Amino acid sequence: MRGKIITCAIHKGGAGKTTGAVSLVNMAHEMGARVCLIDLDPQGNAGDNFVVEGACESFETASDLFKEQEAKPVFEVQPGLGLVFATDDLFSIERYPVEAASVFRLRLHELAAQFDLIVIDTPPTMGFAMLAPLIASDFAFSPIVPDAYSIKGVSSLFKRIQQVKKSHNPKLQFLGLLINQWNKRDSDQNKTVEQLKEKLAKYVIPHTIGFRSAIAKAARRKQPVWYKASTGSARTAAKEVKAAMQWIIENTKIEVKQ
């Protein structure tokens, strides 16, 4: 029996996709799950959140998963937390042959036998780098900043997910949009959130994350935002992020291996 696979995907940069993926990994690991983060973004920001000293060619990389070859060991950040890190090879991911998506799916499902949950962070694109993970995943969610530009992109995101469900992966479940970086002092953002909840209620995750400087500071420290949250603002940020991540984990219904 393999673990569950979830992709964090949105085709707009700056929405908090990497922060969401890393927070999900940290939360699931703290809850006792064996978790693996796969960093498909060639910038490698998700992997940079973890100490990767000793990572070298002897360990599996994200680009390796698209190749028919013998699997390498997964780099272990700490017991129960694996990392398949990004390399420069991923800058050419959009030129991979379409058949590579099937290889990726097969190899990813084999890897999932070692973990309770695999989390995939993707680059901000609508192309192959989003298609391949969605074909292989059980679940997906999308952080979204409540502004006009993001709203325009929601329809194309939904269209992409529906295409994947229809043609490649009918079991894919879209958990929803995670409203992120919401500045409640911004009347335009407040109106956008209202519109999202009214028009797309069933596609909006029932927990939101505000615009908090503590989240960016925690990322720079390479720590979860809830770690040693000492100020009122940090504690609020920690509460919001933890609530959203716990909701996602509960809805993946992962079974922790003993």
Side-chain angles (χ1 to χ4, degrees), residues 60-257:
E60 196 83 270
T61 70
S63 58
D64 287 336
L65 295 176
F66 292 91
K67 304 170 185 175
E68 294 182 345
Q69 62 184 35
E70 185 176 349
K72 300 175 184 176
V74 172
F75 181 83
E76 190 173 51
V77 177
Q78 53 183 282
L81 201 168
L83 171 63
V84 177
F85 50 92
T87 59
D88 288 347
D89 292 352
L90 291 174
F91 281 110
S92 61
I93 191 171
E94 294 302 326
R95 297 196 295 272
Y96 286 8
V98 67
E99 294 81 11
S102 297
V103 175
F104 179 77
R105 182 179 185 276
L106 177 61
R107 297 211 53 208
L108 192 62
H109 284 197
E110 291 173 347
L111 180 62
Q114 304 174 38
F115 297 94
D116 303 305
L117 181 67
I118 288 182
V119 179
I120 306 174
D121 183 36
T122 60
T125 176
M126 189 66 80
F128 184 80
M130 180 187 286
L131 174 66
L134 291 179
I135 288 175
S137 293
D138 303 297
F139 303 95
F141 75 101
S142 300
I144 182 172
V145 178
D147 59 34
Y149 297 108
S150 295
I151 296 300
K152 286 182 65 176
V154 168
S155 59
S156 59
L157 173 67
F158 285 174
K159 183 177 180 180
R160 185 60 155 172
I161 290 172
Q162 289 303 317
Q163 288 174 340
V164 171
K165 286 174 64 70
K166 182 178 180 180
S167 303
H168 304 285
N169 185 5
K171 294 184 179 180
L172 175 66
Q173 296 182 46
F174 182 62
L175 295 177
L177 302 168
L178 174 59
I179 296 173
N180 186 40
Q181 301 177 32
W182 176 14
N183 182 357
K184 295 184 179 181
R185 296 180 180 179
D186 187 319
S187 59
D188 289 335
Q189 283 202 357
N190 292 340
K191 290 177 182 178
T192 299
V193 171
E194 289 179 9
Q195 292 174 355
L196 279 170
K197 291 184 175 181
E198 287 176 5
K199 298 179 179 180
L200 301 168
K202 67 177 182 178
Y203 297 113
V204 177
I205 291 174
H207 296 280
T208 62
I209 300 173
F211 182 77
R212 314 281 183 194
S213 61
I215 295 175
K217 290 179 180 178
R220 288 195 293 271
R221 296 194 307 267
K222 300 183 179 182
Q223 295 173 338
V225 67
W226 55 85
Y227 182 73
K228 293 184 178 180
S230 57
T231 66
S233 176
R235 287 192 290 270
T236 298
K239 182 179 179 180
E240 291 176 347
V241 175
K242 288 180 74 173
M245 297 303 110
Q246 288 170 346
W247 184 92
I248 292 172
I249 291 168
E250 289 171 2
N251 282 271
T252 61
K253 298 180 175 62
I254 64 173
E255 297 181 10
V256 178
K257 299 179 178 68

